[in-house]
Amino acid sequence: MNEVTYEEIVRNVQEMCQKANFDLGEDVYAAFQEALSTETSDTGKEILNQLVENADIATQDRVPMCQDTGTAVFIVELGQDCRIVGGNLIDAINEGVAKGYQEGYLRNSMIYDPLNRKNTGDNTPAVVHIELVEGNSVTLHMTAKGGGAENMSRMKMLKPSDGLEGIKKYVLHVVEEAGPNACPPLVVGIGVGGNFERCTYLAKKSLFRPIGERHADETIAQLEFELMEDINRLGIGPQGMGGSTTALDVKIESAACHIAALPVAVNLNCHASRHQTVTLG
Ligand code: SF4
C-alpha cells in the first residue's frame, strides 16, 4: 500500500489551479497554430492571432487568460493500493483550490446556493469525480471549466432508431444554438450511451483527452472526425464572427446503455480549454 499525504495533494492542486489559468496547454496552443493555417476568414485569422497573443501575455505576466477562471472540476483516478493519509481527499482538493485561487488572484465564481447566490469567496467547492483504478498512485486531472460554454451544453435522450445520423444532427443543433455564446473555437465533448447521469459525465470526461488525440475505437474516431468537419462547415468561426474554425476538436466517449435508450450529451468547452494532470505516489 502506497501513501500520499493530504499536504501533497493540497500543494499540487494549488499549483494546478494557477497553471491551468496562466499557461494554455501545449495541445490547445498547437491547435490555434493549426487553425491559423486553415482559417478562411480574415476576421477569423485576426481573432485567432489575438487568442495566441492573449495566451502569451497570460503566461509571461502570470495573469489568467480569461476573466472567467472557471469551476474547478477534477477527475481523480485513485489506485486501489494507494492510501491518502493525514486527511480527507475531497477536503485536500478543496483546500488546494481555495489556496490556488486566492494566491493567484483568480476570480471566485462559486456560490453557496443556486437560489441565495452568495459567493463562497474562494472558488470552492470543486466538482470531484473519483474513479477507482488498479495501481498504487493517484492521478488528478483538473479543468477550470468556463461558465459560458457550460451554460450552452445540452443533453437529450434520443430514440435508438435515431442512430448515428440522429446523434450527428443533435450535436450540430447544440453547437449551432450555442453560436458565439460558448466562446468558440470550441472543444466539443460528447457522451453517447450510459444512462442519464453517466452520459453527461462521459461528455465531461472526453474533454480531458488532449486535443488532436483520436479515440482508440476506429468507428468513434471516424465519427469524431466527421463531426469536426461538419461543425466547421457551420461558419460560426472564432468568437462567432464567422469563419471555418468553429471547433478545435471533437471528443466522444461511449458506454453500454439500455436497449430502449440512446442518451447523448454535448459538453462544450470554450477556447480557454484549460486542463492539468498530475500523478502522485
Ligand atoms: S466560456 Fe471560456 S472563454 Fe468564455 S468567458 Fe467563460 S472561460 Fe472565458
Side-chain angles (χ1 to χ4, degrees):
M1 184 66 80
N2 208 9
E3 292 187 346
V4 171
T5 67
Y6 180 95
E7 280 71 28
E8 269 180 276
I9 294 170
V10 172
R11 199 172 56 249
N12 278 278
V13 166
Q14 187 175 349
E15 281 170 17
M16 289 168 95
C17 292
Q18 293 183 13
K19 270 187 78 58
N21 277 289
F22 299 156
D23 302 316
L24 190 69
E26 281 174 24
D27 59 332
V28 192
Y29 202 88
F32 282 165
Q33 302 292 352
E34 169 71 20
L36 269 168
S37 68
T38 56
E39 175 55 57
T40 52
S41 140
D42 287 343
T43 309
K45 274 201 176 98
E46 196 184 318
I47 292 169
L48 286 167
N49 272 319
Q50 287 172 3
L51 294 178
V52 171
E53 192 188 346
N54 180 62
D56 289 341
I57 292 170
T59 298
Q60 281 157 21
D61 296 353
R62 311 313 285 160
V63 291
M65 65 192 76
C66 184
Q67 46 75 33
D68 175 1
T69 53
T71 299
V73 181
F74 289 80
I75 293 181
V76 180
E77 292 175 275
L78 181 60
Q80 59 187 0
D81 296 318
C82 178
R83 203 159 72 93
I84 311 300
V85 295
N88 176 286
L89 172 63
I90 307 284
D91 290 346
I93 290 174
N94 277 321
E95 190 175 325
V97 169
K99 285 185 169 160
Y101 273 72
Q102 285 173 324
E103 189 191 84
Y105 298 103
L106 304 173
R107 193 184 83 183
N108 299 317
S109 304
M110 298 302 288
I111 53 174
Y112 283 106
D113 183 295
L115 299 181
N116 73 23
R117 315 298 297 180
K118 190 172 179 302
N119 199 295
T120 65
D122 59 9
N123 215 50
T124 65
V127 175
V128 184
H129 305 280
I130 299 176
E131 293 191 2
L132 197 60
V133 298
E134 286 185 12
N136 60 5
S137 60
V138 57
T139 297
L140 304 167
H141 303 279
M142 182 261 179
T143 183
K145 187 70 176 63
E150 198 74 357
N151 279 346
M152 301 314 294
S153 300
R154 300 285 184 266
M155 195 273 180
K156 190 170 184 184
M157 305 301 279
L158 299 184
K159 295 192 295 292
S161 59
D162 290 331
L164 210 56
E165 283 314 305
I167 295 170
K168 281 179 157 179
K169 209 170 138 192
Y170 181 62
V171 173
L172 288 173
H173 164 75
V174 172
V175 173
E176 206 161 17
E177 188 188 55
N181 294 340
C183 303
L186 310 167
V187 182
V188 181
I190 302 166
V192 180
N195 61 356
F196 186 80
E197 80 275 11
R198 183 153 171 75
C199 187
T200 53
Y201 174 64
L202 290 171
K204 176 74 74 211
K205 188 177 177 182
S206 75
L207 294 174
F208 285 77
R209 186 159 22 108
I211 291 178
E213 196 180 300
R214 291 270 72 86
H215 197 282
D217 180 287
E218 253 181 58
T219 310
I220 295 178
Q222 180 62 24
L223 184 57
E224 289 176 344
F225 174 76
E226 287 174 17
L227 271 168
M228 172 94 169
E229 300 263 292
D230 290 349
I231 288 168
N232 282 334
R233 271 195 284 268
L234 291 174
I236 296 167
Q239 291 296 282
M241 301 291 280
S244 55
T245 316
T246 300
L248 296 172
D249 208 353
V250 174
K251 306 290 190 195
I252 302 173
E253 291 297 327
S254 74
C257 71
H258 192 281
I259 49 169
L262 179 54
V264 181
V266 185
N267 195 190
L268 299 177
N269 208 359
C270 57
H271 60 79
S273 173
R274 301 160 287 202
H275 54 89
Q276 289 285 312
T277 293
V278 73
T279 297
L280 306 172

